[in-house]
Structure formats: C-alpha cells, structure tokens
C-alpha cells in the first residue's frame, strides 16, 4: 500500500515535471522537486489549537496517521483541555490556553501547531506560533485579507518556520489524479472550469455569520474552495476577476457577510472559470473542467468524501482515504523532510487565495473588473 502510493506519486511527479501545462503553475515544472514520500520516521508532533468541530474531525483522523501525532492542546475551555487530554493522551504539561500558549517555545514535545480557530484569529495565532519557534499549520481561509496573510508569511519566514494551510483536497487521490491528467495534457488545452460551492447555513448566531470573526460570509468559508480549485484544476494563476453579489436575507446575512456571490476568473491562456459561492443553497459541491480533448467532473468535489467523479475516459476509481489523515501525514513529510506536494499548501498558496478573495469583494462592490497580480 505504502509502495503503491509512493510509486503513484513518483510517476505523477515525473510525468508532471515534463509537461508544458504545469510550467505556468508556479512551483513544479522547472525545479526538480521531490515527490512526497511516506517514510516511517520521524513523527511530526502537533498541538491542536481551537478544540471545536473541525479540530474534532482532525483529531479523530490523526489517530490513523503514520507520521503525525497529537502531542499538545491549546484551548480557551478548561473542560476541553481535560477531556481531550485524557482522550488523546496529552499530559497536562502540554496543555495550554490562549494566554499562556507562548510557552510552547520551551516544549520539545511540540514541533507544529495546527490553528483551527475562527478565521479572524488565525493572523494573531499563527504569528504567536511562529514567534514561539514552531511550525504553523493554519486552517482556511488563512486570514481575513491579503495584508494579514502577507504579515503571517513574513513572520514565519523571519522565524524560519514553515507555514502550511489546511488545504486537504490537495492530497485527495481523485483530485490529485485529475490534476495529474490535466498536467499530462490528457484533457488538451484547458478552456473552462466551473466551481459551485455552497450549503444552506443554519444557526444565525454562529461565528461564521459574524463579520468580525469570519471576515465575510460564504466566500471566506466555502467559496474559497472554488477559488483554490479553479487554480489547481486549470493549472494557471488568474489575471482578472469579475463578481456579482445577491442577497435575499439581509437579516441573517448582515452588512459585510456575503450570502451568494457569482464570480468569473480569467487565465493567461484564455481559459475562464465561472464560480458560485453561497450560504443559501444545498447540494452544491461540483467541479467541472473542460479541455479541447476531454473533461473531468466531480460531485461531490470538496466535501469530506468520498469524492466522486469521472472524466471523458471513465469513472475515477482511486480509493477514499480520510482526507485529514492523508493531509497530516503529507504535512509531516513537508515539514520534516522538505517534501514538495503536487499542489502547494504553503503560505504563499494561502496568500494567493486571499488576494483573489479581496479582489472578488472589490469586484462585487464596484461592478468593475479587477486585474490580479498574484506574484
Ligand atoms: P468551531 O466553532 O466548531 O470551533 C472553533 C473553536 O475555536 C472553538 O470551539 C473554540 O475552541 C475556539 N475559539 C477561540 N476563540 C473563539 C471565539 N471567539 N469564538 C468561537 N470559537 C473560538 O469552528 P470550526 O471548527 O468549524 O472552524 C474552525 C476553523 O476551521 C475555521 O477557520 C474554518 O474555516 C476551518 N474549517 C476548515 C474545514 C476544512 O475542511 N478544511 C472544515 C471546517 C472548518 P476552544 O474552546 O478550544 O478555545
């Protein structure tokens, strides 16, 4: 199993590195990068910060990891620290709150902190983690805007620690296969991508509908999958964006909290993307990629899986593996061994998405097409 995964990824890397379509996509083509490997050791010692819904999922998934384990906990809720500490075998000496978390700098049992708090807190939390000399894994969206994101990238660079973003789809086998096929030219010249991402959000009092904590609405939370997906599916960086916002419920979706935004991206090759981000429609988790020689469609495309999809060549049959297990093992390789994933998950990747989100909001507010310079 381990060998077949390694073989697969090595083949993927080898084929991708020779291909013109990937050369416009920022990292891979010219750099002689190593593919991910899953060697047995060492193990990445991870502290989870923000013990909420998604951290629960990550913690369970990490029980099956080969290279990453939970060795620390950071929470504002003492009962959770006691409960999670007992469940996951984290001693009291490695449990922290938001006041004393800076003390992790003296804890050799922590290599990295996975920041899984509400969006508005990522900036401060990641910078504190970096200052403590630990690697940061940060949930999406990496920050509220590109300025914050740049500060986080700079802080991690200064501290000589890595900053990764929790883009679990970058390791999902069917997604990786479609990226491989596109990079191998199997769909021909890419012409069009469609990303439709949304769900009907419930409780009107949750932080996701509070601009101060969420930084926006659906776009920050779920629309980002269409933005990020359009980049790795098309394999280029967009150069312009247009956007239109619709709001049907201004009580639930207050000023600055977007309910539904449609947006379009243009790419240097002439390919275009048409995307929908919403908190007001269910059954909306679909990617469609169209090229001159073929297509890929995935539905569901970014949920927790199993992801389903097919191309013009048939069904995608790669087995489902819990996304967060794959992600954390791969991130251990990135942090400890310098492995380079097929689709990047570093802070620059997160920052590019934030620049696009900023531009989507500007385009929606002004009705004016925004040029993008993602760097
Ligand atoms: P939750 O509300 O379930 O959990 C957030 C946790 O953060 C809380 O339980 C709390 O934990 C801590 N926290 C600290 N300060 C606050 C505050 N002021 N208000 C609320 N909570 C606070 O959120 P999620 O787990 O769903 O989301 C957390 C992050 O993970 C978000 O950035 C989200 O976008 C991302 N996410 C990513 C997913 C993915 O698939 N990659 C899926 C779902 C979410 P404590 O009591 O321990 O301090």
């Amino acid at each position: 199993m381990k060998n077949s995964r390694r073989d697969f990824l090595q083949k993927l890397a080898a084929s991708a590195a020779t291909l013109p379509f990937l050369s416009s996509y920022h990292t891979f083509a010219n750099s002689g990068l190593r593919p991910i490997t899953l060697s047995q050791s060492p193990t990445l010692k991870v502290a989870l910060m923000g013990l909420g819904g998604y951290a629960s999922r990550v913690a369970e998934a990490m029980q099956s990891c080969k290279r990453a384990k939970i060795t620390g906990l950071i929470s504002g809720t003492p009962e959770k620290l006691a409960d999670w500490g007992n469940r996951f075998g984290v001693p009291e000496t490695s449990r922290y709150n938001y006041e004393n978390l800076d003390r992790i700098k003296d804890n050799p049992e922590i290599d990295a902190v996975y920041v899984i708090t509400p969006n508005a807190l990522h900036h401060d939390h990641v910078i504190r983690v970096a200052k403590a000399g630990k690697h940061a894994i940060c949930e999406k969206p990496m920050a509220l805007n590109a300025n914050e994101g740049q500060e986080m990238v700079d802080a991690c660079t200064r501290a000589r620690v890595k900053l990764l973003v929790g883009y679990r789809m970058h390791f999902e086998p069917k997604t990786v296969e479609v990226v491989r096929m596109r990079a191998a030219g199997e769909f021909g010249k890419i012409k069009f991508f469609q990303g439709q991402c949304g769900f009907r959000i419930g409780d009107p009092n949750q932080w996701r509908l509070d601009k101060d904590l969420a930084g926006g609405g659906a776009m920050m939370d779920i629309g980002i999958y269409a933005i990020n997906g359009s980049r790795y599916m098309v394999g280029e960086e967009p150069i312009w964006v247009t956007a239109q916002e619709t709001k049907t419920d201004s009580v639930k979706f207050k000023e600055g909290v977007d309910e539904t935004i449609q947006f379009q991206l243009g790419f240097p090759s002439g390919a275009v993307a048409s995307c929908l981000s919403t908190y007001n429609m269910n059954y909306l988790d679909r990617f469609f990629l169209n090229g001159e020689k073929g297509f890929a469609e995935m539905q569901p495309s970014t949920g927790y899986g199993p992801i389903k999809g097919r191309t013009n060549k048939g069904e995608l049959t790669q087995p489902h593996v819990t996304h967060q297990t794959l992600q954390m093992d791969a991130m251990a390789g990135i942090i400890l061994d310098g492995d380079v994933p097929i689709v990047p998950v570093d802070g620059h990747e997160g920052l590019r998405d934030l620049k696009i989100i900023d531009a989507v909001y500007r385009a929606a507010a002004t009705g004016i097409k925004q040029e993008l310079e993602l760097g």
Side-chain angles (χ1 to χ4, degrees), residues 20-75:
F21 292 102
L22 209 63
S23 61
S24 58
Y25 195 54
H26 38 89
T27 58
F28 205 78
N30 327 319
S31 46
L33 300 171
R34 290 194 299 126
I36 291 176
T37 55
L38 276 184
S39 57
Q40 286 302 313
S41 61
T43 298
L44 185 70
K45 294 177 277 185
V46 181
L48 300 180
M49 181 196 293
L51 308 181
Y54 193 59
S56 294
R57 191 175 283 275
V58 169
E60 288 305 327
M62 283 183 70
Q63 302 313 301
S64 305
C65 277
K66 294 186 175 61
R67 294 210 55 193
K69 66 174 181 185
I70 303 169
T71 59
L73 297 167
I74 303 164
S75 170

Side-chain angles (χ1 to χ4, degrees), residues 7-285:
D7 290 345
F8 163 70
L9 288 168
Q10 278 170 345
K11 276 183 204 139
L12 170 54
S15 59
T18 58
L19 294 163
F21 292 102
L22 209 63
S23 61
S24 58
Y25 195 54
H26 38 89
T27 58
F28 205 78
N30 327 319
S31 46
L33 300 171
R34 290 194 299 126
I36 291 176
T37 55
L38 276 184
S39 57
Q40 286 302 313
S41 61
T43 298
L44 185 70
K45 294 177 277 185
V46 181
L48 300 180
M49 181 196 293
L51 308 181
Y54 193 59
S56 294
R57 191 175 283 275
V58 169
E60 288 305 327
M62 283 183 70
Q63 302 313 301
S64 305
C65 277
K66 294 186 175 61
R67 294 210 55 193
K69 66 174 181 185
I70 303 169
T71 59
L73 297 167
I74 303 164
S75 170
T77 314
E79 302 76 38
K80 288 188 199 169
L81 282 175
D83 176 35
W84 287 51
N86 293 337
R87 262 165 57 210
F88 299 111
V90 177
E92 279 184 37
T93 47
S94 293
R95 302 177 196 168
Y96 300 85
N97 58 41
Y98 300 111
E99 284 72 49
N100 67 17
L101 76 89
D102 310 274
R103 290 191 206 149
I104 59 173
K105 71 174 185 303
D106 301 317
N107 190 337
E109 289 307 308
I110 296 172
D111 300 320
V113 176
Y114 195 162
V115 175
I116 320 184
T117 48
N119 308 343
L121 308 177
H122 294 177
H123 172 260
D124 179 52
H125 286 157
V126 164
I127 289 175
R128 286 174 71 185
V129 168
K131 283 187 174 159
K134 306 295 181 181
H135 302 291
I137 303 170
C138 181
E139 256 317 314
K140 43 61 54 178
M142 191 173 89
L144 297 191
N145 54 55
N147 284 343
E148 280 193 5
Q150 185 67 59
E151 287 173 5
M152 294 157 76
V153 167
D154 293 344
C156 290
T157 306
R158 264 197 308 275
R160 298 173 191 269
V161 295
K162 288 196 171 136
L163 170 56
L164 306 182
V165 184
Y167 288 130
R168 59 188 161 75
M169 300 314 297
H170 295 199
F171 308 100
E172 192 281 316
K174 293 186 180 71
T175 303
V176 172
E177 170 61 5
V178 172
V179 171
R180 185 203 65 76
M181 291 177 73
R182 183 264 301 150
E186 293 183 29
F187 305 131
K189 184 174 160 56
I190 297 300
K191 306 290 282 185
F192 179 69
F193 172 77
Q194 194 173 38
Q196 299 169 329
C197 298
F199 62 95
R200 275 186 77 100
I201 196 159
D203 178 8
N205 298 317
Q206 63 187 290
W207 68 259
R208 279 182 169 76
L209 295 172
D210 174 349
K211 177 166 166 54
D212 289 344
L213 280 172
M219 182 60 60
M220 302 300 286
D221 191 34
I222 191 79
I224 189 171
Y225 285 98
I227 288 177
N228 190 248
S230 67
R231 295 174 51 234
Y232 63 70
M233 285 287 169
V234 173
E236 298 177 54
E237 297 298 3
I239 51 174
W240 57 257
V241 57
T242 49
Q244 309 79 36
E245 181 171 4
T246 319
K247 194 172 281 196
T248 63
D249 184 345
S250 57
V251 177
K252 187 168 185 178
F253 304 103
K254 299 194 172 53
E255 180 73 29
V257 178
D258 49 290
E259 175 188 321
T260 300
I261 294 182
Q262 296 181 73
F263 61 98
Q264 302 76 37
L265 299 166
F267 297 87
S269 66
V272 287
S274 171
C275 300
L276 173 60
S277 158
T278 183
Y279 264 161
N280 203 16
M281 296 172 216
N282 277 335
Y283 312 111
L284 209 57
D285 182 4

